[in-house]
Amino acid sequence: MKSETGFDHALFDRFPTKDERPEAEEEELKRIWCAPKGWEYLTVVNNNYVGIYYLGTAFLFFLLAGVLGLLMRVQLAAPLMHVLPQATYNQVFTMHGTVMMFLFAVPMVEAAGVLLLPQMLAARDLPFPRLSAYAFWAYAVGGLAFFGSLFIGLAPDGGWFMYPPLTSKAFSPGINTDFWLLGIGFIEISAIAGAIEIIVGVLRHRAPGMSLDKMPIFAWAMLVFAVMIVIAFPSVILATLLLEIERAFNWPFFDATRGGDPLLWQHLFWFFGHPEVYIIFLPAAGMMSMIIPTVARAELVGYRLIVLAMVATGFISFGVWAHHMFATGLPPMTAGFFSAASMAVSLPAGIQVFSWIATFAVGKPRFNTPGLFAMGSVVIFVSGGLTGVMVALVPFDWQVHDTYFIVAHLHYVLIGGMVFPLFAAMYYWIPMVSRRPLSERWGRWIFGLMFAGMNIAFMPMHLSGLMGMPRRVYTYLPGSGWDVLNLVSTLGAFMLAAGVLLFLIDMARNFRLAPDDGEAGNVFGAGTLEWLPTALYSTRSIPVVRSREPLWDDPSISDNVEQGRYFLPRSATGRRETIVTSPLLAEPQYLQIMPGPSFWPFAAALLTAGFFLALTVQAYLFAGVSAVLGVLAVIRWLSETDIRVPEREVDIGAGIRVPTYATGPQTHGWWAMTILLIVLGMIFAMALFGLAFLWSNQPSFWTKPPALSGAVPLALGYVAIVIAAGATRLLHRRGAVWAVVPVIAAAALAPVLLWLDIGVWLKTLAPDASGQGAAVYALLTLQGMIVGIAALMALYLGWRKMRGLIVDGASNTLDLVCMFTAYVGAQGLVATLFARAIGA
Amino acid sequence: MPTETQLKAVLGGWPPAVLNPAGPYSEPVTLLAWALLIGGTVVLAIVLAALAVALWGAPSLRRRLGGDRAIWIGGIAFPVVVLTALLVWGLWLTGDLAAKAPRPGEMRVRITGEMWWWRVAYLDESGRTVIRDANELHVPVGSTVLLELDSADVIHSFWVPRLAGKMNMIPGRRNLLRIQADQPGTFGGQCAEYCGGPHALMGFAVVAHTPESFDRWRASRLAARPASVTSRGQELFMASGCAACHTIAGTQAAGLAGPDLTHVGSRRTLGAGILPNNRGTLAGWIADSQTIKPGNRMPNYKQLDARELNALADYLAGLK
Amino acid sequence: MKTWAILLGGLLVWAVHFFGLYAIAEFAPSRMLTVILTVPCLAAEALLLIYALRLDRDEAFTRWRRSVAVGGTGLGLVAVLWQALPPWFSG
């Protein structure tokens, strides 16, 4: 095989080794990856713990949002019920959607990734364990506080889609809407952090030999999922930022009377919102593609087609956002493009469904609980997919849009595409972390109740929609003919809930966490690596992967792994570590030293939550203090990273030696920074789109921007920043002691340039004068944010330099600061020119 | 005080409105809807049958299903063919139904979504308002009517399912929707875009008349209202502050915030499609509209006693 | 990079085509422009498909790479063709 990195694949044949490994090695691994005690549970960063915390919290939100759904069903059981007053109902349906989408679905699948991926890839952990811990705590604390707003009647009430102008200050003067905007802030942060973690983890932490074509399908799903988050979430991050600015400072982004446009919000929201559905669906589909082969006792049919389907979904789902806007008066040609793409995105879904059916057909399917949930999922998801094709047709959508037909459609898609696979996954993987599996006998009842309840609840809604019942109504009038259907739906909803309740009881009976040892194990006889015997350090040794189902193809692999006959049977440096491999063919490249438990990610998360919540209730002093302390906590946590060990190179097994420190484009840090810059670039690109969109839709409000020619000095300054950042990296590699000077000077120049640019604009246009003003100053605000971050980074770099931590010819900290600063220059350049070019 | 049983829907009943078209702008969509619903059911049945064969079928059948070929046929080739046909149908129909500029001599009506009712203005050729009304639209059978939809506050959505698909009413935009009723009758609708508060209670009715009856209706609306004899009800109307928000042509009442009441007595419903219109419901609405439709912009007038309410209701019910 | 380009090429062309069409519809609606965009995109999909079909399939990895590339360009081709339709139905 042609090597990717120059690594000789023949070396893989040295494994499994024949020698006996000393007992002490395993003892040392146990000591290094030891379990927490007492308060230490707050400082753990190991994916085995963070993953479980994450899953538990996300499932709690599923239950909470489910209860809200039941409340709604009670209120709608008959016409003119008085269970929930109108204002409460509006908060409850808003929270039901928001919590299900943002606090349950995305975190749940992300949590599954955090828990399962290292096991499936046979890595010791994900690449940035402290980032995982931070993301989890920010989400848990922020999410619970956000949910709490419901109990004090301050929950948002504008719908989970939060359309302005209903959510603008004029029509929503209370802080309910701010709770939504800032509450979503946590989820955005934790989703992006998780996405970075997962992309780098899947591409760089695979067991040696696990080339892309041997990767478990769940890892593919999570890779596409994470890339989609990186592309889609920036849009909602920007949208929430703009709406909050509009509410707080009166910049009219969405106010049509002042040159804003309410449709700008819809474009930004749905550019995120529709891919979001696939963001939720793909990991669940990946779980299905892992579970079904085991249940059917056969290899997955059409692995290649499924990979293709997942990647294609990732692309095409970005061309369907405006199908939520067919009734906004889009020109027929525009609507047509979105209709065509909406059709195209159903093809990959069809491929996956038929692959699953084909896998059942070649195997000997077992009707155990994971199998039942997987089969049920196919039935429900296909039904939802078919109504999805229906609403992709513009004229039909004009009729059923915003009716209960859509409520039925989306619940079929999401329950069939995500909730049922999730229950299948819980039944399937719980033996991996629990001493006892869940009860199969109960499982059948639970599946039966949930499957029947789901259909009884949502099937009638197709009809009530066709009968004219709109969505988001807190009640309806007698004589509409909708009452019987609604009563049936309510009964079905309670049946579904009864199934979930039984599941909870069975969890209480049988679920006993065994993070260290003694889990029930491979009770279903699966073939992938997560079923290797593991402890807190994951597997004793990291196997060479030679097929997609190693446990089926090599019956001795478990034993050999357990005996330490593969890679890294010990800690090579006496610290937490894992092997970083190449992205395509998974050839070992270097040993990553991983950070251990720390209090600081937890503290930083608490302070982040404190910052957002204080902003919401307008306690600005407290917000400021939290922000400063939060930044300090992050710096404290970072100061323990990017470390070097005395050993420059170590033996990772069978005499194969790799370095313990690497720099440049091949490192995990470089990859993570690149992804972060793509996120920032997407946020910025969306802001550019916003400016162009307002210009195209509200030309009468346009003011002539300052002359492009006047921006030449600024542009030169920004180019100088990019050059200086590059120069620092080059000089440092050449060994210049003062190499950090250019990049620190560049970070100092950036605010000056921004200040000058703002000065020019203030002479032309005020931010609250028009949509144009708001959009231009939004670009400058974004620039201001990254200028601030670059300044912090420059200070941190200077501090590390003074402490003597930037040594040798290469340093990751220095590289990453240079990358970020160069990006600051590039974004500043584009912002300066673009704002002057639009409508010039 | 109206009891809840007096609240009644203007929309609903059997057969489902979407499948029971009453004009040329909904009929082709109903045909498409039937094709989709039946076709979808057939495809679902095929997939379920395939799943059943995969799980319980004879080994020979299962072998045929278990391979890349099944995926290529079932998951790729079949959908491509069906979806291409559907896409062409949908695109053609979209272009056909989308309303463009007014046709010469076509009736034009501007409908403005308000929190939580509908302002209706009948326009002449030059776009000037000639008749003002609220919460219902009168049209002649057999002619197209071009609706110009806009909003005074937040986004609403105009939807009368038996006549046409829905169209949003968006601040700063004017969306066009063409409708035509082919049979006389009343066609209900309800705001379809969540607009806060009592969004659930924002109904609308289209009343289709035979051409002769429509001409009579129109003439009655265009006729100058005779200077009315002062009544106790009218005095109360002026004295209680009603005139600050409502207009009654021929009186000093010229408020613009709420619905025009010049012909309120002849409307089918009260409170935007939620109460039948009679003296009892009028009095009840004035006294306690906040219980009937919580959050609506009209305050309760509990300070009026029963006699005063009756006088006021008599007066308003008489404004035919 | 080359492997990623092979795996994603067909879908990347789809993305260029889709966002190009959206930009045309949003900022400069014209049927002619959509044709000028569609023709090279279709040609690119076709060429990529031919290229993908002729890729090596000597090992598990290259076989896998080839079939994902063929599928991606095939799907991209269908999606681009579908997207080329709307301008001809909007009068």
Side-chain angles (χ1 to χ4, degrees):
Chain A
M1 178 172 273
K2 215 172 93 201
S3 173
E4 183 184 358
T5 62
F7 178 86
D8 180 7
H9 282 247
L11 292 174
F12 285 152
D13 297 336
R14 295 184 186 176
F15 298 99
T17 53
K18 300 281 174 282
D19 52 330
E20 282 297 312
R21 307 295 313 185
E23 279 285 307
E25 285 181 352
E26 198 178 349
E27 291 309 311
E28 196 192 9
L29 277 176
K30 280 195 174 143
R31 181 184 57 73
I32 294 169
W33 294 86
C34 66
K37 286 187 252 346
W39 286 103
E40 284 168 16
Y41 279 98
L42 298 178
T43 67
V44 288
V45 296
N46 185 338
N47 78 295
N48 290 308
Y49 287 102
V50 175
I52 292 283
Y53 290 3
Y54 225 141
L55 280 172
T57 311
F59 198 74
L60 172 68
F61 282 117
F62 171 69
L63 299 175
L64 291 172
V67 169
L68 297 183
L70 290 179
L71 284 175
M72 287 155 69
R73 281 315 325 161
V74 172
Q75 166 68 14
L76 293 177
L80 298 171
M81 292 278 276
H82 281 292
V83 179
L84 296 179
Q86 170 188 293
T88 311
Y89 185 92
N90 290 345
Q91 294 185 13
V92 166
F93 90 76
T94 300
M95 289 298 274
H96 172 73
T98 304
V99 173
M100 280 292 188
M101 293 302 264
F102 286 104
L103 296 179
F104 159 61
V106 175
M108 190 80 193
V109 289
E110 202 153 291
V114 168
L115 184 67
L116 292 174
L117 280 176
Q119 325 286 342
M120 284 185 188
L121 306 175
R124 295 245 188 268
D125 204 333
L126 283 172
F128 308 102
R130 290 190 175 181
L131 189 63
S132 291
Y134 170 79
F136 163 72
W137 287 113
Y139 150 73
V141 176
L144 287 170
F146 171 58
F147 194 87
S149 67
L150 201 53
F151 300 113
I152 47 174
L154 288 177
D157 56 2
W160 88 281
F161 43 89
M162 283 276 144
Y163 282 178
L166 180 59
T167 51
S168 304
K169 204 81 181 173
F171 300 104
S172 294
I175 65 168
N176 308 49
T177 303
D178 305 293
F179 260 112
W180 191 88
L181 292 169
L182 295 166
I184 293 311
F186 307 112
I187 288 80
E188 289 162 351
I189 290 174
S190 77
I192 296 282
I196 291 174
E197 182 90 306
I198 286 166
I199 294 174
V200 181
V202 169
L203 288 176
R204 307 305 305 283
H205 273 187
R206 301 201 302 273
M210 189 192 276
S211 50
L212 286 181
D213 59 314
K214 299 191 193 79
M215 200 155 93
I217 203 80
F218 180 71
W220 267 110
M222 291 309 289
L223 177 62
V224 178
F225 155 90
V227 172
M228 287 181 71
I229 284 189
V230 165
I231 307 294
F233 264 73
S235 186
V236 76
I237 291 175
L238 180 76
T240 46
L241 181 70
L242 298 189
L243 185 52
E244 194 50 47
I245 292 178
E246 173 171 310
R247 290 176 56 83
F249 305 113
N250 194 25
W251 297 9
F253 298 102
F254 310 113
D255 179 355
T257 61
R258 290 189 289 153
D261 193 335
L263 283 192
L264 174 60
W265 169 272
Q266 297 194 15
H267 279 288
L268 293 175
F269 185 81
W270 291 117
F271 186 80
F272 148 80
H274 202 88
E276 159 88 349
V277 176
Y278 294 94
I279 284 174
I280 294 166
F281 163 68
L282 280 180
M287 294 173 178
M288 290 276 285
S289 295
M290 300 292 286
I291 297 168
I292 288 176
T294 305
V295 168
R297 291 174 282 201
E299 263 187 50
L300 184 62
V301 177
Y303 171 90
R304 295 182 261 193
L305 285 169
I306 291 192
V307 172
L308 165 70
M310 287 178 163
V311 176
T313 305
F315 273 84
I316 299 174
S317 61
F318 283 98
V320 301
W321 79 86
H323 74 205
H324 295 264
M325 300 166 62
F326 283 158
T328 60
L330 286 182
M333 181 164 90
T334 315
F337 294 141
F338 288 95
S339 182
S342 305
M343 295 269 160
V345 84
S346 68
L347 290 176
I351 293 176
Q352 293 180 73
V353 167
F354 274 87
S355 294
W356 298 333
I357 292 178
T359 308
F360 278 128
V362 294
K364 293 185 276 300
R366 288 174 282 183
F367 292 86
N368 51 22
T369 311
L372 289 174
F373 271 105
M375 294 162 199
S377 157
V378 172
V379 176
I380 298 171
F381 177 69
V382 168
S383 313
L386 289 168
T387 49
V389 169
M390 298 181 192
V391 294
L393 290 165
V394 181
F396 185 71
D397 183 71
W398 281 339
Q399 280 288 14
V400 298
H401 178 68
D402 273 335
T403 69
Y404 262 78
F405 190 90
I406 300 292
V407 179
H409 157 70
L410 77 91
H411 283 91
Y412 266 85
V413 169
L414 290 174
I415 295 180
M418 194 270 173
V419 177
F420 270 57
L422 177 74
F423 273 81
M426 288 193 289
Y427 273 94
Y428 181 72
W429 276 299
I430 273 178
M432 196 186 95
V433 291
S434 160
R435 284 180 213 289
R436 282 205 297 265
L438 298 181
S439 157
E440 274 293 314
R441 209 164 61 85
W442 282 53
R444 277 152 212 280
W445 277 98
I446 292 166
F447 166 75
L449 279 171
M450 287 182 68
F451 185 80
M454 188 279 157
N455 282 291
I456 294 171
F458 295 104
M459 187 80 80
M461 291 185 187
H462 293 107
L463 196 51
S464 43
L466 292 175
M467 289 176 78
M469 182 167 171
R471 297 172 74 175
R472 295 148 191 156
V473 290
Y474 81 100
T475 192
Y476 50 93
L477 302 177
S480 55
W482 307 333
D483 26 11
V484 177
L485 293 170
N486 273 284
L487 184 61
V488 174
S489 284
T490 302
L491 295 176
F494 275 90
M495 217 165 146
L496 176 59
V500 177
L501 183 66
L502 282 186
F503 175 80
L504 283 181
I505 297 172
D506 198 30
M507 283 287 279
R509 289 169 59 217
N510 283 319
F511 185 78
R512 296 289 177 273
L513 199 60
D516 206 1
D517 213 357
E519 61 270 23
N522 195 358
V523 294
F524 299 107
T528 39
L529 296 182
E530 77 272 25
W531 298 104
L532 289 171
T534 57
L536 281 175
Y537 47 80
S538 291
T539 52
R540 165 74 198 281
S541 60
I542 298 173
V544 174
V545 172
R546 298 187 169 96
S547 73
R548 276 203 288 273
E549 283 93 8
L551 272 63
W552 285 351
D553 301 327
D554 176 4
S556 58
I557 192 169
S558 293
D559 189 47
N560 285 329
V561 162
E562 188 70 343
Q563 298 302 322
R565 296 192 184 118
Y566 282 106
F567 279 104
L568 216 58
R570 61 187 179 112
S571 170
T573 65
R575 293 164 175 270
R576 294 188 178 197
E577 56 197 18
T578 197
I579 303 173
V580 175
T581 51
S582 64
L584 300 178
L585 301 179
E587 298 162 2
Q589 287 184 298
Y590 65 95
L591 194 70
Q592 182 194 338
I593 312 294
M594 311 196 105
S598 166
F599 168 70
W600 298 108
F602 175 68
L606 280 189
L607 290 161
T608 310
F611 168 71
F612 279 115
L613 292 171
L615 272 190
T616 311
V617 298
Q618 291 157 9
Y620 295 116
L621 181 67
F622 188 79
V625 171
S626 297
V628 171
L629 292 177
V631 168
L632 289 175
V634 171
I635 288 176
R636 179 71 184 73
W637 131 30
L638 284 177
S639 68
E640 293 167 12
T641 60
D642 192 22
I643 36 177
R644 294 193 173 191
V645 290
E647 307 90 337
R648 282 303 178 84
E649 245 188 31
V650 290
D651 179 355
I652 54 171
I656 297 169
R657 296 182 73 79
V658 293
T660 59
Y661 192 86
T663 54
Q666 60 156 334
T667 57
H668 58 287
W670 185 288
W671 280 52
M673 179 57 86
T674 306
I675 299 166
L676 179 68
L677 294 181
I678 292 172
V679 170
L680 295 177
M682 280 303 299
I683 296 178
F684 179 66
M686 288 292 157
L688 296 178
F689 165 77
L691 181 65
F693 183 86
L694 290 180
W695 165 70
S696 146
N697 284 276
Q698 296 279 32
S700 58
F701 287 88
W702 221 254
T703 308
K704 198 171 162 49
L708 253 178
S709 56
V712 171
L714 287 173
L716 290 175
Y718 282 120
V719 172
I721 290 179
V722 178
I723 293 173
T728 287
R729 197 165 169 256
L730 216 65
L731 289 168
H732 184 64
R733 300 217 151 222
R734 301 250 171 99
V737 189
W738 46 271
V740 296
V741 173
V743 76
I744 291 177
L749 176 60
V752 177
L753 296 177
L754 179 63
W755 182 253
L756 292 173
D757 202 10
I758 292 174
V760 175
W761 275 102
L762 280 175
K763 289 196 205 102
T764 316
L765 195 58
D768 55 1
S770 68
Q772 180 194 12
V776 166
Y777 284 90
L779 291 177
L780 298 172
T781 305
L782 289 177
Q783 181 68 13
M785 289 178 179
I786 61 168
V787 161
I789 296 170
L792 282 173
M793 284 187 168
L795 288 174
Y796 177 66
L797 182 67
W799 174 79
R800 272 187 93 105
K801 175 77 192 165
M802 286 192 299
R803 293 272 309 269
L805 291 169
I806 308 286
V807 286
D808 284 326
S811 153
N812 283 318
T813 301
L814 180 125
D815 279 2
L816 302 185
V817 173
C818 289
M819 278 171 89
F820 192 90
T821 310
Y823 174 80
V824 170
Q827 180 179 309
L829 179 66
V830 176
T832 306
L833 300 180
F834 194 86
R836 285 168 173 77
I838 290 293
Chain B
M1 231 255 13
T3 60
E4 274 164 2
T5 50
Q6 286 174 287
L7 291 159
K8 86 183 224 310
V10 290
L11 169 68
W14 196 260
V18 171
L19 303 178
N20 184 23
Y25 293 94
S26 52
E27 218 163 71
V29 184
T30 303
L31 186 64
L32 177 67
W34 276 117
L36 291 172
L37 294 169
I38 294 170
T41 312
V42 171
V43 173
L44 179 64
I46 294 173
V47 176
L48 291 186
L51 181 63
V53 168
L55 294 174
W56 298 290
S60 62
L61 280 176
R62 293 178 60 190
R63 248 197 317 282
R64 237 183 277 171
L65 243 167
D68 275 12
R69 216 168 62 109
I71 306 175
W72 277 99
I73 295 172
I76 300 175
F78 175 72
V80 167
V81 173
V82 173
L83 293 180
T84 305
L86 281 180
L87 180 64
V88 169
W89 187 358
L91 290 173
W92 166 75
L93 197 52
T94 308
D96 213 41
L97 293 178
K100 291 158 207 107
R103 298 167 184 162
E106 188 175 34
M107 181 171 157
R108 286 166 63 191
V109 183
R110 184 174 62 235
I111 303 181
T112 307
E114 311 241 0
M115 289 164 112
W116 291 269
W117 59 284
W118 317 80
R119 189 187 295 274
V120 180
Y122 296 77
L123 309 178
D124 66 11
E125 295 269 308
S126 62
R128 277 186 318 124
T129 304
V130 289
I131 300 170
R132 287 172 216 284
D133 206 342
N135 301 332
E136 63 188 40
L137 171 67
H138 293 259
V139 298
V141 160
S143 320
T144 65
V145 179
L146 186 70
L147 305 181
E148 305 183 5
L149 305 174
D150 61 10
S151 164
D153 36 52
V154 303
I155 302 174
H156 303 276
S157 188
F158 182 85
W159 186 38
V160 180
R162 294 193 60 197
L163 297 181
K166 62 184 66 61
M167 180 62 85
N168 287 359
M169 310 167 116
I170 303 171
R173 284 169 194 258
R174 196 191 57 158
N175 282 333
L176 300 180
L177 181 71
R178 188 164 275 127
I179 60 167
Q180 175 180 330
D182 281 345
Q183 65 203 61
T186 304
F187 306 105
Q190 199 174 325
C191 177
E193 179 66 60
Y194 175 65
C195 51
H199 156 66
L201 301 175
M202 185 170 163
F204 189 81
V206 175
V207 184
H209 301 263
T210 59
E212 308 77 58
S213 146
F214 179 75
D215 288 342
R216 277 199 302 280
W217 173 84
R218 193 178 152 81
S220 78
R221 289 303 163 100
L222 289 173
R225 175 170 288 280
S228 57
V229 197
T230 320
S231 65
R232 173 78 182 126
Q234 186 179 6
E235 277 167 17
L236 276 166
F237 189 90
M238 301 304 162
S240 308
C242 309
C245 293
H246 295 284
T247 296
I248 297 176
T251 72
Q252 315 89 296
L256 293 174
D260 184 299
L261 300 181
T262 310
H263 297 280
V264 66
S266 67
R267 283 197 199 126
R268 262 70 180 162
T269 65
L270 276 185
I274 59 172
L275 287 172
N277 187 5
N278 55 47
R279 280 168 36 201
T281 53
L282 266 168
W285 175 264
I286 295 165
D288 195 10
S289 71
Q290 290 300 327
T291 302
I292 301 168
K293 184 167 173 173
N296 89 84
R297 293 282 157 85
M298 176 156 152
N300 283 347
Y301 281 86
K302 290 201 166 152
Q303 68 274 31
L304 299 175
D305 64 28
R307 274 213 336 272
E308 291 171 322
L309 280 174
N310 281 336
L312 202 45
D314 276 342
Y315 166 63
L316 291 172
L319 296 171
K320 296 283 185 187
Chain C
M1 271 336 252
K2 187 181 157 210
T3 295
W4 292 112
I6 289 172
L7 291 175
L8 305 178
L11 293 164
L12 284 169
V13 172
W14 171 86
V16 169
H17 185 241
F18 180 83
F19 287 100
L21 287 177
Y22 174 69
I24 291 170
E26 181 62 54
F27 300 111
S30 135
R31 185 183 293 172
M32 203 55 218
L33 282 178
T34 66
V35 176
I36 292 173
L37 177 67
T38 298
V39 170
C41 285
L42 277 179
E45 292 283 13
L47 287 175
L48 279 174
L49 187 57
I50 293 167
Y51 173 78
L53 284 168
R54 294 173 55 186
L55 281 170
D56 295 344
R57 39 181 155 167
D58 48 345
E59 296 167 351
F61 182 74
T62 48
R63 266 198 302 281
W64 171 81
R65 186 173 70 174
R66 175 179 175 275
S67 49
V68 173
V70 170
T73 42
L75 209 59
L77 193 63
V78 171
V80 168
L81 276 172
W82 282 354
Q83 273 156 208
L85 295 175
W88 305 96
F89 289 91
S90 56

